[in-house]
Amino acid sequence: MPVHTPHRSGRSLAAAVGAVLVCAVTALSSAGALAQTAPSVSAASQPAESSRLDAVLSAGTLRVGTTGDYKPFTYLNPQTQKFEGMDIDLAEAMGKALGVKVEFVKTSWSNLLPDLLADKYDIAVGGVSVTLERQKKALFSDPLMRDGKTPITRCENKDRFQTVADIDKPGVRLIVNPGGTNEKFARANIRTAQIEVHPDNVTIFDQIVAGKADLMITDAVETRLQQKLHPELCAVHPDQPFDFSEKAFLLPRDIVLKLWVDQWLHQTVATGQYQAVFDRWLK
């Protein structure tokens, strides 16, 4: 009868909904059971992406690029045909900490970054200046020291070259080594003085001593050393350089290797090992 029809329809709807819910629960339970029995694929089970650090450890060799022409950081001794210097000692210590041998690879300032990108070595050392241009394609370690460009000249000319304006005059002969930050600074700031490119960074200071050039603008740390090696030369205000720069190791774009190198540097400084190497070459 009409009075009972709504109740029968309600019970039928409720029964239908209940059946659907039971089926859904059963399906979910079955899926859960299947998930428990099926092999689990998680991020932890995926193979980790290999890093340059892994490659170095696997090969048992750390390949270190260096120019060999920039005392006190790197110098290829012609008598022994071996590299020596502050950064060379640090690279050797780094290899020891890694438990691998160190293989030095000769490069030049103009090829320093291209050779790194070509995978000719794993890290570049030797008084490398931190620049934004290099940072576009590579990474740097934490800075090793603060530095900046300053002149070095014969001592009788020291008062003549106090400022960039003093240097950038007709008749002044500024000598530079090719391909590095010294030449870049000279090209960016010198418009009138003559810029002479000398290909050998080892003998470039002899050119100033011999009067074949008036001065060089280079890193303050190098001017301090060269005035000791050449008593005829004087560093011009090395405590107040023309600009700001820092020295660091040049690394490929591998964050794992960078983090290891930075941690090693942190511990090397904290234990006094870095200071001992610094004092050996710069004091």
Side-chain angles (χ1 to χ4, degrees):
M1 303 298 294
V3 175
H4 300 292
T5 300
H7 295 285
R8 288 200 301 267
S9 299
R11 285 195 296 271
S12 299
L13 179 60
V17 172
V20 171
L21 290 174
V22 169
C23 291
V25 171
T26 302
L28 288 173
S29 299
S30 300
L34 181 61
Q36 290 177 354
T37 57
S40 175
V41 180
S42 65
S45 67
Q46 297 297 313
E49 184 178 352
S50 62
S51 71
R52 181 63 65 95
L53 179 61
D54 295 325
V56 168
L57 295 173
S58 178
T61 301
L62 177 67
R63 300 170 301 161
V64 179
T66 192
T67 62
D69 64 354
Y70 187 14
K71 293 180 179 181
F73 302 103
T74 175
Y75 178 61
L76 182 58
N77 190 314
Q79 279 72 43
T80 64
Q81 285 301 303
K82 292 183 178 180
F83 290 97
E84 57 188 44
M86 178 179 171
D87 280 17
I88 303 303
D89 285 355
L90 290 173
E92 292 280 12
M94 189 187 309
K96 185 177 181 180
L98 279 167
V100 301
K101 68 178 181 179
V102 175
E103 175 186 318
F104 290 103
V105 180
K106 181 76 167 63
T107 187
S108 64
W109 290 110
S110 57
N111 290 323
L112 188 75
L113 181 58
D115 283 351
L116 178 72
L117 299 177
D119 194 28
K120 293 186 178 181
Y121 37 76
D122 305 300
I123 182 173
V125 309
V128 181
S129 295
V130 177
T131 70
L132 294 178
E133 284 301 310
R134 288 169 176 163
Q135 184 84 40
K136 288 178 181 178
K137 296 182 178 180
L139 296 177
F140 285 98
S141 68
D142 286 344
L144 298 168
M145 65 173 61
R146 179 172 176 169
D147 207 7
K149 301 298 181 188
T150 204
I152 183 169
T153 185
R154 291 182 63 89
C155 291
E156 63 265 27
N157 294 326
K158 185 176 180 180
D159 293 337
R160 287 181 56 197
F161 303 126
Q162 291 291 311
T163 68
V164 171
D166 292 338
I167 297 168
D168 195 19
K169 292 181 177 180
V172 175
R173 298 164 299 164
L174 172 65
I175 195 167
V176 300
N177 58 309
T181 56
N182 291 338
E183 183 180 13
K184 182 178 179 181
F185 181 90
R187 301 290 181 192
N189 294 278
I190 301 301
R191 297 287 182 268
T192 305
Q194 180 182 347
I195 299 176
E196 301 177 2
V197 178
H198 186 74
D200 184 5
N201 199 40
V202 175
T203 62
I204 195 169
F205 298 95
D206 296 329
Q207 302 298 304
I208 306 173
V209 172
K212 296 180 180 180
D214 294 315
L215 78 154
M216 180 180 183
I217 299 176
T218 186
D219 296 316
V221 63
E222 185 176 34
T223 66
R224 290 189 180 97
L225 176 68
Q226 291 299 329
Q227 71 180 358
K228 292 180 181 179
L229 298 177
H230 301 87
E232 305 93 335
L233 301 181
C234 285
V236 181
H237 53 65
D239 294 327
Q240 295 178 315
F242 290 146
D243 65 358
F244 165 83
S245 68
E246 292 175 314
K247 302 294 186 188
F249 297 148
L250 185 65
L251 303 163
R253 280 180 172 174
D254 187 298
I255 192 64
V256 176
L257 178 61
K258 172 179 164 51
L259 289 174
W260 188 93
V261 171
D262 287 346
Q263 181 60 32
W264 173 80
L265 280 172
H266 171 71
Q267 294 186 9
T268 301
V269 171
T271 60
Q273 184 180 5
Y274 176 86
Q275 189 63 48
V277 174
F278 180 92
D279 291 347
R280 177 186 176 189
W281 293 100
L282 288 170
K283 286 191 175 181

